[in-house]
Amino acid sequence: MLRRKTTVAAVACLALLLGGSGVAAADGGSPTSSPSAGPTGDGAQALCKRAVRIEKRIDKSLTRLNGPVSVRGSIARLQQRVDNAKAAGHGAVETYLNGRLAYRKSLVPTLEQRSKDLAKVSDWCEANTTANGATP
């Protein structure tokens, strides 16, 4: 009996959802509210606006990753933890930390490339920003 009530409630909810979206689809709706509508631009204006903050975040991450053993989140600190686990004979912990270390090391070239790309974007933004701060 309980299963039948649950099924009926689920079907009723589904009918309400489909009925509501059917009306919205028939209505035409606005192009921005449709989930199938793609972006209308490349987001250059928003990216130019955020470029400085993005650059600071990338620099902060690279500084942390390349930091000494005393810096939390640095590659050197995680390497020290791997060495400690190996010395203590904790094979499972060493394996887990080695995976994290490999990922963390792979972040450095990725972030360096993003920094270079962002520098090019910043140059483009400076060259293409109008007097009122808008990009073409």
Side-chain angles (χ1 to χ4, degrees), residues 53-68 71-76 103-119:
R53 288 181 290 182
I54 294 170
E55 184 179 8
K56 286 179 183 177
R57 261 197 340 258
I58 290 172
D59 290 343
K60 184 178 177 181
S61 296
L62 283 171
T63 302
R64 183 181 63 246
L65 288 170
N66 293 324
V71 175
R72 292 181 68 171
S74 70
I75 292 172
Y103 173 73
R104 200 169 287 181
K105 284 180 178 179
S106 74
L107 284 175
V108 173
T110 302
L111 289 173
E112 288 171 345
Q113 183 60 46
R114 284 185 185 174
S115 182
K116 290 176 188 174
D117 293 343
L118 189 62

Side-chain angles (χ1 to χ4, degrees), residues 70-86:
S70 60
V71 175
R72 292 181 68 171
S74 70
I75 292 172
R77 186 179 182 107
L78 188 53
Q79 180 64 56
Q80 181 66 45
R81 289 180 63 195
V82 169
D83 295 342
N84 292 345
K86 186 175 184 178

Side-chain angles (χ1 to χ4, degrees), residues 14 18 32 84 88 105 133-134:
L14 183 62
L18 291 177
T32 57
N84 292 345
K105 284 180 178 179

Side-chain angles (χ1 to χ4, degrees), residues 6-20:
T6 305
T7 305
V8 169
V11 169
C13 287
L14 183 62
L16 285 174
L17 288 173
L18 291 177

